[in-house]
Amino acid sequence: MEAINHHNHLPFNLAAAAAATTTTERVVVPITLFVAVLCLCLVIGHLLDENRWVNESITAIIIGCIVGTIILIISKWKSTQLLRFNEELFFIYLLPPIIFNAGFQVKKKQFFQNFFPIMLFGVAGVFISTSIVAAGCRWLLPKFGLDGLTISECLSIGTIFSSTDTVCTLQVLHQDETPLLYSLVFGEGVVNDATSVVLFHAVQKINVNTFRGKAVLHILLDFLYLFSTSTVLGVAAGLLASYILRGLGFGRHSSVREISLMILIAYLSYMLAELFELSGILTVFFAGVLMSHYAWHNVTETSRITTRHTFAAMSFIAETFIFLYVGMDALDYEKWKLSILSFWKSIGVYSTVLFLILLGRAAFVFPLSVMSNYMHRGGGSSSRITGKHQVVIWWAGLMRGAVSVALAFKQFTLSGVTLDPTNATMITTTIVIVLFSTIVFGFLTKPLISCLLPHNTTNNGGLRRTLSPKEEMTLPLLSFEESASENISRAKENISMFMERPVYTIHSYWRRFDDTYMRPIFGGPRSNEVSG
């Protein structure tokens, strides 16, 4: 009887095994092809490395479009997708290494000396750009037949198209020649992405039916809460990794453990932030900054070299993957068929959104640059954002990239699929804007910067300058060992310097605090012993 039952169940077991094998092949084959195309991107990108017009983002998008066309022809105009885009896959696996590497590779001295303008562009600028793009979409898109967008969706569109991609510009700028400009573009790009995602999640929580002035205040308070708590979590993760590496001496036994610990703690901080509904981008960015500032000095020389190349390689593969997918997804026939607009109305929508991006970008770059110059008025010409610098900063933020695509899929699709015509239209609009801005603006980036900032430019945007006698003074903290009159005199002097040079004074205080209290606990040489 048992033998009979065993034979009766055998066909079902074989069927289940066959089904499992088919499912595995359905997953493995696309991944294999995708990895092969990624390798092709790396090879072609290397061959075009010295090309004046093309960068690796453009290369990945163009190859993606070519591969998508081939698959579209093979599938008889049904689908171009080797893999179906999942925004959760992007946010959980692809984005963390990109942002962590940005924080780890950042030139800290330049980043924090220019912290005020970076935060102006990266935070206040996102709010201004989001408001302009959202208001413009709410008012103009219905004129092209794109009705039905709620206030919440318009605000989401504003955040989607306020997220920049500065990779094209950074590949052209020379950090040694224009360190101020490079620092501003790089810093704003990272902070901008983080701010856009945080603001996007804040917008998702509003109630469309009760959207009043209090709702705007609620968005602002929710944003400040997410921004501050996410930053604190990232700082704590970076300090924890630094303390463990300094105290336990992992390098005595294995460099692999040192690198693994840094990667895992950074990723753990990101996942904890997502678990507590905070901003994982901000958390992992500041974890990278703190690890680079402290933990990197606590590992062996071998690990120092390996960590930089490992984190950069992980980030590079993730970025290439995203741009390659965008190029392929641009030819997804199903999304275009769902669109409710005619060809010319679609062109009108694309042109309108692009115009709003240009306007929203200009509305904050030039006014906030004037404000930044006023705050740095005592710093001389070396810390001044010139008119040419402002044009480059404005241009650098016109390109849209991976974060915009991920946010659009998160807002308008369910696991990469949408059956709503309006949502499909917004997805195709996002893809067109990303393709157009990356390829067209990316092509023009090198000629524009070569025209505005010739290669033999002197270090007019740098941080090196002759300090005045007043700036060369140390900025001592108040001391309990000195008399009250001396402390009062010192406080007056410090307040005077703060009013004259607020950014420089804050940075100087932080440097003293870091040297006195932080580095002895968490590691690293004093600031006067190492540059950057």
Side-chain angles (χ1 to χ4, degrees):
M1 188 69 179
E2 291 179 359
I4 294 175
N5 289 337
H6 172 73
H7 287 292
N8 287 338
H9 287 291
L10 187 58
F12 296 100
N13 292 335
L14 290 174
T21 302
T22 304
T23 303
T24 302
E25 290 179 353
R26 196 179 299 125
V27 174
V28 171
V29 171
I31 292 178
T32 303
L33 292 175
F34 216 98
V35 172
V37 177
L38 277 173
C39 294
L40 180 64
C41 285
L42 297 183
V43 173
I44 295 178
H46 170 72
L47 296 176
L48 298 176
D49 190 49
E50 299 298 327
N51 189 281
R52 182 183 177 185
W53 303 91
V54 179
N55 57 61
E56 286 166 349
S57 302
I58 296 175
T59 302
I61 287 180
I62 293 176
I63 292 176
C65 290
I66 295 173
V67 173
T69 302
I70 295 173
I71 296 175
L72 191 65
I73 295 173
I74 294 175
S75 65
K76 298 180 180 180
W77 303 92
K78 292 182 179 180
S79 177
T80 65
Q81 294 182 329
L82 284 177
L83 295 174
R84 187 170 294 281
F85 187 87
N86 188 327
E87 67 278 3
E88 298 300 330
L89 171 71
F90 172 82
F91 281 105
I92 293 177
Y93 298 108
L94 296 178
L95 191 58
I98 296 174
I99 302 300
F100 176 73
N101 180 66
F104 194 82
Q105 304 286 355
V106 69
K107 297 294 184 181
K108 298 174 293 299
K109 182 177 180 180
Q110 297 173 15
F111 181 84
F112 286 105
Q113 282 188 340
N114 297 296
F115 189 74
F116 179 75
I118 286 173
M119 297 305 290
L120 270 181
F121 293 142
V123 179
V126 170
F127 275 87
I128 295 172
S129 177
T130 297
S131 302
I132 291 175
V133 174
C137 289
R138 180 73 173 172
W139 179 47
L140 296 175
L141 293 189
K143 299 181 184 299
F144 296 98
L146 197 60
D147 299 313
L149 291 173
T150 64
I151 295 177
S152 177
E153 288 175 331
C154 288
L155 288 172
S156 297
I157 293 171
T159 60
I160 289 169
F161 290 116
S162 294
S163 174
T164 64
D165 181 67
T166 57
V167 173
C168 293
T169 307
L170 290 174
Q171 289 177 345
V172 180
L173 291 177
H174 299 280
Q175 186 170 357
D176 294 332
E177 295 181 359
T178 56
L180 171 63
L181 181 59
Y182 188 95
S183 175
L184 292 177
V185 172
F186 177 85
E188 189 223 341
V190 176
V191 176
N192 172 283
D193 283 347
T195 304
S196 298
V197 175
V198 173
L199 188 58
F200 178 85
H201 288 303
V203 166
Q204 300 297 299
K205 299 178 181 180
I206 68 171
N207 188 340
V208 180
N209 298 324
T210 60
F211 187 78
R212 300 291 185 272
K214 289 183 178 180
V216 177
L217 180 61
H218 179 73
I219 291 175
L220 180 60
L221 293 177
D222 195 29
F223 171 82
L224 292 175
Y225 166 75
L226 290 173
F227 201 95
S228 58
T229 51
S230 302
T231 301
V232 169
L233 180 58
V235 170
L239 293 178
L240 176 63
S242 304
Y243 186 78
I244 292 175
L245 289 172
R246 181 177 175 81
L248 298 182
F250 275 56
R252 291 195 302 267
H253 303 286
S254 173
S255 296
V256 174
R257 289 196 183 101
E258 292 179 321
I259 301 170
S260 301
L261 183 71
M262 295 173 70
I263 294 175
L264 291 175
I265 289 183
Y267 191 69
L268 176 64
S269 69
Y270 183 89
M271 296 309 297
L272 285 175
E274 294 297 313
L275 181 63
F276 294 121
E277 297 184 347
L278 304 176
S279 170
I281 289 184
L282 267 178
T283 297
V284 80
F285 172 72
F286 279 102
V289 172
L290 268 292
M291 287 187 192
S292 174
H293 192 60
Y294 298 116
W296 189 76
H297 299 284
N298 299 333
V299 300
T300 61
E301 188 64 31
T302 302
S303 295
R304 293 181 187 181
I305 298 173
T306 306
T307 50
R308 290 198 179 278
H309 292 296
T310 300
F311 300 152
M314 293 168 61
S315 172
F316 178 79
I317 292 174
E319 287 182 349
T320 306
F321 180 95
I322 292 298
F323 282 108
L324 179 61
Y325 184 88
V326 169
M328 292 175 58
D329 196 65
L331 297 172
D332 183 14
Y333 194 60
E334 299 299 325
K335 292 187 180 69
W336 296 97
K337 287 197 302 184
L338 279 174
S339 179
I340 59 176
L341 303 181
S342 64
F343 174 78
W344 290 111
K345 286 187 176 181
S346 297
I347 296 297
V349 170
Y350 307 151
S351 302
T352 299
V353 173
L354 191 61
F355 169 75
L356 292 174
I357 291 173
L358 296 170
L359 179 63
R361 184 78 185 161
F364 75 82
V365 168
F366 300 105
L368 295 184
S369 296
V370 174
M371 183 184 299
S372 175
N373 288 336
Y374 178 78
M375 294 296 294
H376 285 82
R377 59 190 180 278
S381 59
S382 60
S383 61
R384 180 178 177 81
I385 306 175
T386 66
K388 291 182 178 180
H389 289 169
Q390 293 174 32
V391 173
V392 173
I393 294 170
W394 171 74
W395 183 269
L398 294 180
M399 279 145 293
R400 298 295 175 264
V403 175
S404 294
V405 173
L407 293 179
F409 272 82
K410 191 176 185 67
Q411 174 69 32
F412 296 109
T413 72
L414 181 62
S415 297
V417 180
T418 179
L419 299 177
D420 183 78
T422 301
N423 290 347
T425 302
M426 292 313 306
I427 291 293
T428 55
T429 299
T430 304
I431 292 173
V432 168
I433 294 298
V434 171
L435 287 173
F436 182 87
S437 63
T438 302
I439 295 177
V440 177
F441 294 157
F443 270 129
L444 299 177
T445 296
K446 288 186 179 181
L448 175 68
I449 293 180
S450 298
C451 178
L452 293 176
L453 305 171
H455 186 67
N456 59 353
T457 301
T458 59
N459 196 19
N460 60 352
L463 298 169
R464 299 174 184 173
R465 57 191 175 88
T466 303
L467 299 178
S468 66
K470 194 170 187 179
E471 290 173 338
E472 287 179 340
M473 298 171 56
T474 58
L475 294 173
L477 301 173
L478 300 182
S479 173
F480 292 107
E481 299 176 357
E482 298 179 354
S483 64
S485 60
E486 290 177 341
N487 277 326
I488 292 174
S489 175
R490 180 171 296 167
K492 290 180 180 178
E493 179 183 330
N494 290 339
I495 291 174
S496 174
M497 293 190 68
F498 179 77
M499 296 300 293
E500 181 181 345
R501 292 288 316 285
V503 177
Y504 171 80
T505 308
I506 293 173
H507 183 262
S508 299
Y509 268 122
W510 159 250
R511 210 165 49 222
R512 278 210 62 194
F513 176 80
D514 188 34
D515 288 341
T516 305
Y517 300 106
M518 300 296 288
R519 289 189 183 274
I521 299 175
F522 299 104
R526 293 176 178 270
S527 57
N528 59 358
E529 299 174 5
V530 62
S531 59

